[in-house]
Amino acid sequence: MTDSQTAHANTPRIPADQLHGYVRAIWQRAGSAPREAELIADHLVAANLTGHDSHGVGMIPRYVESLADQQLQLNRHADVVKDAGAVLTVEGGKGFGQVIAFEAMERGIERARRLGICAVGLRGAHHIGRIGHWAEQCARAGLVSFHFVNVAGDPLVAPFGGADRRIGTNPFCAAYPRPGKPPLVLDFATSTIAFGKTRVAYNQGKHTPPGALIDHEGVPTLEPKVMHEAPFGALTPFGGHKGFGLAAMCEIFGGALSGGFTTHADTLVTTHAIINCMLSVIIDPAAFDAPDAQAEADAFLAWVKASPLAAGTERIYEPGEPERVKRAQREAAGIPIDAATWTQIHSAARAVGMSEDEVASWSARLG
Ligand SMILES: NC(=O)c1ccc[n+]([C@@H]2O[C@H](COP(=O)([O-])OP(=O)(O)OC[C@H]3O[C@@H](n4cnc5c(N)ncnc54)[C@H](O)[C@@H]3O)[C@@H](O)[C@H]2O)c1
């Protein structure tokens, strides 16, 4: 579905390269080195381009709040605290996830190319955003990867059978590169919807889909305000006990195995920080004895895509295809940013020291 057919129909659209410029300017004003500001802008704008506005430039106000809380640390780099060959442990030190995860993947990619496989346990990074971005980095290097992530100390999701928030939205992601073709990228929160999507719905005055939320008494609700105003409710895990189980494994692989932390009464984050830990397993497909792997993958995809369409369905997508379609649309037509999000981003720009004139000038240029 195009943006012009959705809630974004009347929302102003901003060309990706201009939005990228504003994001870079905000973070350089906050004190980020140019390379850091570039990586942040690459990541946030790419999330908007793929249609995941929940993880795009709308995160800037939260990052600025975390900076003000002295949680988010600027200009930090991934620190390999243990090198066991095919297993690396990386400390993030609350540095910008957009830098720390990029550098952690660079290390893992180099090792997987040399050894055939590398497991990277990344701990204590500030928000690493859209996990598909990191899987795509591995896929561009020709490598398969899967990623288990916890949102440490930030319970938003009820356990299967529970009535209050106990677990993070813990994303799982897997990517399969295909020479000469786009990679398959599966990337989702283990909650029925991502938390950021409740923020987008809240800002737009919309309901969330049925089954996604419960209120503070555990009763199903369509109101996104239960995630943004007290008394707080919770997201539900996707797919009942299966989503809950996957979220639990993300918590333990991401948070415990990496030497980071899991979510429980002693670790609740009370600031604006979002702390992610991630176990990434990166594999060189050439290390397997599988000369027909690509042909087999392609044959399977052609087979499933040949299924007759169910009523009301326009097409059958492979994992990652909806994001590619959205990206092509938004590269051509611009990125829609709703008024509430735009106001919040300008306030964040002022909070890091941009003058009223500079903000007005960016706003005029982008609007
Ligand atoms: N860093 C964090 O703490 C954190 C936490 C939670 C989520 N996230 C990110 O939030 C983003 C959004 O997550 P989400 O759960 O809202 O994603 P989602 O529900 O939109 O699902 C996206 C996945 O499903 C596939 N998909 C979507 N529609 C499809 C269709 N019709 N047919 C086939 N495949 C389809 C997509 O290609 C993609 O792989 C993800 O990028 C995730 O990494 C990050």
Side-chain angles (χ1 to χ4, degrees), residues 52 54-55 127-132 149 151 169-171 185-189 191 193-194 197 274 276 317-323:
H52 291 291
S54 55
H55 287 71
H127 193 228
I128 60 176
R130 177 180 166 256
I131 309 306
V149 180
V151 196
T169 52
N170 296 1
V185 181
L186 177 65
D187 172 28
F188 56 77
S191 47
I193 57 170
K197 288 186 175 154
I274 307 171
N276 281 138
Y317 291 97
E318 60 195 36
E321 200 174 0
E323 285 77 11

Side-chain angles (χ1 to χ4, degrees), residues 24-309:
R24 278 200 320 269
I26 291 172
W27 288 106
Q28 284 196 245
R29 182 53 57 93
S32 286
R35 177 65 175 148
E36 174 160 292
E38 178 94 18
L39 287 172
I40 298 163
D42 286 354
H43 184 105
L44 297 181
V45 173
N48 285 114
L49 281 172
T50 54
H52 291 291
D53 295 328
S54 55
H55 287 71
V57 297
M59 288 305 298
I60 291 171
R62 176 72 182 259
Y63 294 170
V64 169
E65 288 173 323
S66 180
L67 185 67
D69 288 348
Q70 300 182 320
Q71 293 297 308
L72 171 60
Q73 304 294 312
L74 302 185
N75 301 316
R76 283 274 165 94
H77 294 280
D79 183 14
V80 178
V81 291
K82 182 168 179 185
D83 181 342
V87 180
L88 298 175
T89 309
V90 178
E91 172 62 50
K94 294 189 191 167
F96 245 118
Q98 284 75 5
V99 173
I100 302 288
F102 179 82
E103 293 177 348
M105 293 303 98
E106 277 188 324
R107 304 289 182 104
I109 287 167
E110 181 276 325
R111 219 36 88 85
R113 279 187 167 143
R114 195 139 54 86
L115 302 175
I117 188 165
C118 182
V120 181
L122 168 62
R123 68 192 189 203
H126 200 267
H127 193 228
I128 60 176
R130 177 180 166 256
I131 309 306
H133 196 82
W134 314 122
E136 285 163 2
Q137 184 182 346
C138 298
R140 274 195 302 281
L143 304 175
V144 168
S145 65
F146 37 95
H147 311 258
F148 298 85
V149 180
N150 84 330
V151 196
D154 189 14
L156 294 172
V157 184
F160 180 65
D164 73 354
R165 36 171 79 186
R166 298 272 159 168
I167 323 164
T169 52
N170 296 1
F172 172 78
C173 178
Y176 186 78
R178 293 179 299 164
K181 293 180 185 166
L184 302 178
V185 181
L186 177 65
D187 172 28
F188 56 77
T190 48
S191 47
T192 304
I193 57 170
F195 172 72
K197 288 186 175 154
T198 71
R199 187 192 71 233
V200 173
Y202 181 67
N203 281 343
Q204 294 178 350
K206 309 264 179 219
H207 278 155
T208 45
L213 296 173
I214 54 175
D215 69 14
H216 66 288
E217 291 175 323
V219 177
T221 176
L222 305 178
E223 291 294 343
K225 75 172 181 201
V226 302
M227 301 306 292
H228 300 273
E229 294 172 26
F232 292 109
L235 290 153
T236 56
F238 86 95
H241 64 284
K242 301 181 188 183
F244 164 57
L246 184 55
M249 299 317 278
C250 285
E251 191 73 36
I252 288 161
F253 286 161
L257 196 58
S258 68
F261 64 99
T262 62
T263 303
H264 52 85
D266 299 334
T267 62
L268 300 181
V269 172
T270 54
T271 64
H272 289 97
I274 307 171
I275 304 300
N276 281 138
C277 306
M278 170 166 75
L279 173 71
S280 297
V281 180
I282 307 170
I283 304 172
D284 183 353
F288 288 103
D289 175 25
D292 297 332
Q294 291 300 332
E296 284 298 318
D298 286 348
F300 166 73
L301 291 168
W303 162 252
V304 291
K305 285 194 160 197
S307 177
L309 291 180

